[in-house]
Amino acid sequence: WKITHHHSSVRPADAAPPPTPEEMLPVARDNFKRWNDALQTKNPKTVASLYSNSELSFLPTVSPEHIKKIDSTQEYFEAFVMKNPFGTITDDSVTIFDDGKSYLHSGMYTFEIGEKGARSPVEARFSYVWRKIDSAWKITHHHSSVRPPSPAPTPAPEVAAEAAK
């Protein structure tokens, strides 16, 4: 037996593993900060620029509409930024998709709305899907809704039976 052809090369390194939720959470919080900072500019075009031009699903807190176009996103923010909103995340988590090229950031936030001295807190739930598009993070899905009130505690059966007498 004679070797007629031999090829030797270094085995390519395996692709880097996708980021863990713990590694992606700071990215998610930074992107939320970019979005919140954009609200502070009071420029609806600046806020809308963070959303995808395609693949968009936006269910805003104070609108009955399901927004699917960037122009409608900008129109929504024309009124919303005038309420002087400032959001603070109070609870959040991240789920990673597509090997780290997109992620779901969901949780709870509180918005302070209104003029100085007359601001009101609004507790809400949120979900954002951010996707890397042309090396920039863009929002492809955003849902926000006012947090419903907690239900009244159910009395223990013996207390309920006593109250019924």
Side-chain angles (χ1 to χ4, degrees):
W1 294 95
K2 289 187 177 183
I3 299 171
T4 60
H5 177 78
H6 178 263
H7 174 80
S8 179
S9 64
V10 176
R11 181 177 170 215
D14 292 332
T20 65
E22 294 77 22
E23 293 167 332
M24 191 58 93
L25 192 57
V27 173
R29 289 176 177 164
D30 285 347
N31 280 332
F32 175 80
K33 183 179 182 321
R34 283 181 42 229
W35 180 81
N36 200 33
D37 289 348
L39 292 176
Q40 306 317 300
T41 69
K42 295 191 181 180
N43 183 336
K45 191 172 186 174
T46 300
V47 182
S49 73
L50 296 173
Y51 290 76
S52 172
N53 289 323
S54 60
E55 308 176 41
L56 180 60
S57 175
F58 180 24
L59 298 161
T61 309
V62 292
S63 171
E65 303 299 320
H66 179 197
I67 296 172
K68 299 177 186 175
K69 296 184 186 309
I70 199 72
D71 293 345
S72 300
T73 302
Q74 187 172 327
E75 287 173 18
Y76 170 78
F77 283 112
E78 285 173 4
F80 188 70
V81 297
M82 299 317 291
K83 297 178 181 189
N84 301 312
F86 185 85
T88 303
I89 293 173
T90 56
D91 181 49
D92 62 343
S93 63
V94 171
T95 304
I96 301 166
F97 301 101
D98 198 20
D99 291 326
K101 294 180 189 123
S102 63
Y103 65 87
L104 167 67
H105 186 203
S106 59
M108 307 289 287
Y109 49 27
T110 300
F111 268 91
E112 293 287 329
I113 306 263
E115 297 297 323
K116 268 189 177 178
R119 295 181 63 75
S120 303
V122 177
E123 293 182 359
R125 303 174 287 192
F126 71 86
S127 61
Y128 295 88
V129 173
W130 291 80
R131 181 182 312 271
K132 199 99 178 257
I133 300 173
D134 297 329
S135 75
W137 287 109
K138 295 287 185 175
I139 299 167
T140 58
H141 168 81
H142 180 188
H143 175 251
S144 182
S145 59
V146 173
R147 182 178 162 195
S150 298
T154 305
E158 58 275 358
V159 173
E162 188 64 34
K165 289 183 183 180

